[in-house]
Amino acid sequence: MRSKDDGQVYTIAAREIDWDQVGSDDRNMGLEVHYRGDITHPVLGELSWTASEYPVGMFNDADSAMNGHTLVSNFSFDSDFGEDDDWDDGSGPEQTVELTEEQLTALTPEEQQEHLAVWFHSQFWDPAQETPYNGREGGYQYVWGGPYDAQSELEDKFAGIIDEGIIAAATEEIEADGITDWAPSPQHPDQLQAAEDYYESLREPTLADIEAALKSGVKLDFSSPAAAEAAAELKRSAEALIAALDARQPVHGGMGHNGPALDDAGNPLPDGFEDDLRKSAVAIAAEFEAETPDVQAVVAATSNLQRLRAWLAPKADLAADEFAKALGKNAARGAIVLGGLVLGSIVPGLDIVIDAGLTWLHALLV
């Protein structure tokens, strides 16, 4: 929801809205049931939604009264929600939005206390949700941070903005079920950082990562089966790229003597581009003639191939589109001619060398 006053966007979860059945009508396929949902938002004021179910299990798009605010995206309705179901089943943290200091101080004391409780439950939850438990080790193992104390966290966040008495009342409300030690929810910075670290650990290292590891003096293993297999593939792919470049014959596009223009000068490739490609491929292949390849030399050559490939990619796409327009819908994209460089054979080979280089360098570090 985007506020009409300051343009800020607020998120409202369906479970925060009070829904009621407000009427029904007899129709050909049975009853059409009407529903209404209302909420008094601490900033946006009175908001309401209406929806109808007809026939049973089929919900029509909801109408809404947004008090002059803009509805950015609406809820979707389905038939899974039963009469006795609870909107908030406790399976996840409450959703909330950050309010500015000015917005917080404009709330009534009751609204402030409610906001504090909702904010806390968005950041922390019962450790029974997902925290590992080991009785021999003293109970819950707070591997993602914690345990957290409600009053301390509320004071850290809202002290100086919200009155101490309201913070104390919110703490009492939060601890009403007897939970005094809290774990971080999936929205807590500790959990977000843990997730980021986990996914970062799954990412294959980039050339920059490898260069940093080499500078740190990491030990390399050239003798592992994986490294030996990757070395053979890298040498083979580099030699294949060299052969493709050497075998290239100048070819001109049928609709123009020099193919589609890609820059103001009409030259799709800069001077020395192919020579630069070849030199890097030769440098890689030459290292594998030695008993122990120079890893830094392979990193430098692979990095240069990546740079050339990055320059070439958008040019190749543009050439393919323009050349296809000239020849018609059935023109083969794989045979696009770019200033005499046959991308259908060179670009795949270039990609293979880059991938093989990264695979070998990664194998050395494992």
Side-chain angles (χ1 to χ4, degrees), residues 270-337:
D271 290 341
F273 188 92
E274 295 173 67
D275 291 339
D276 208 354
L277 277 176
R278 192 180 190 285
K279 286 177 182 177
S280 294
V282 168
I284 291 174
E287 288 302 325
F288 292 93
E289 299 294 338
E291 183 175 347
T292 303
D294 183 339
V295 179
Q296 291 284 8
V298 175
V299 168
T302 305
S303 179
N304 192 49
L305 290 179
Q306 278 191 329
R307 178 183 64 81
L308 295 170
R309 184 63 177 91
W311 185 93
L312 190 61
K315 308 295 184 181
D317 291 341
L318 177 59
D321 292 341
E322 294 300 319
F323 203 68
K325 289 177 185 177
L327 296 183
K329 295 181 179 179
N330 296 323
R333 292 177 66 93
I336 296 304
V337 178

Side-chain angles (χ1 to χ4, degrees), residues 101-223:
E101 182 174 338
E102 182 180 357
Q103 290 169 332
L104 282 169
T105 55
L107 301 178
T108 66
E110 293 78 12
E111 291 170 339
Q112 289 178 341
Q113 180 177 330
E114 179 184 0
H115 179 79
L116 264 59
V118 172
W119 173 84
F120 183 85
H121 286 299
S122 76
Q123 299 294 304
F124 308 93
W125 60 5
D126 185 344
Q129 294 278 12
E130 289 187 1
T131 305
Y133 185 89
N134 188 328
R136 295 180 180 178
E137 297 294 331
Y140 288 110
Q141 306 299 300
Y142 293 89
V143 294
W144 296 293
Y148 299 94
D149 174 74
Q151 182 156 343
S152 296
E153 296 302 323
L154 290 176
E155 288 175 347
D156 286 346
K157 179 71 175 178
F158 299 103
I161 304 173
I162 304 296
D163 183 79
E164 292 180 2
I166 295 175
I167 292 178
T171 301
E172 184 177 350
E173 176 186 342
I174 290 166
E175 296 179 342
D177 291 334
I179 303 171
T180 57
D181 291 333
W182 298 85
S185 81
Q187 296 181 43
H188 190 278
D190 287 353
Q191 283 276 46
L192 295 174
Q193 185 61 51
E196 183 178 339
D197 292 344
Y198 171 73
Y199 288 112
E200 179 69 14
S201 71
L202 300 180
R203 179 182 61 82
E204 290 290 327
T206 64
L207 276 177
D209 296 329
I210 293 168
E211 286 185 287
L214 293 173
K215 290 178 181 178
S216 70
V218 66
K219 186 177 180 180
L220 304 177
D221 183 5
F222 292 91
S223 61

Side-chain angles (χ1 to χ4, degrees), residues 71-82:
L71 186 63
V72 178
S73 62
N74 206 354
F75 303 108
S76 60
F77 293 78
D78 59 47
S79 58
D80 292 337
F81 185 78

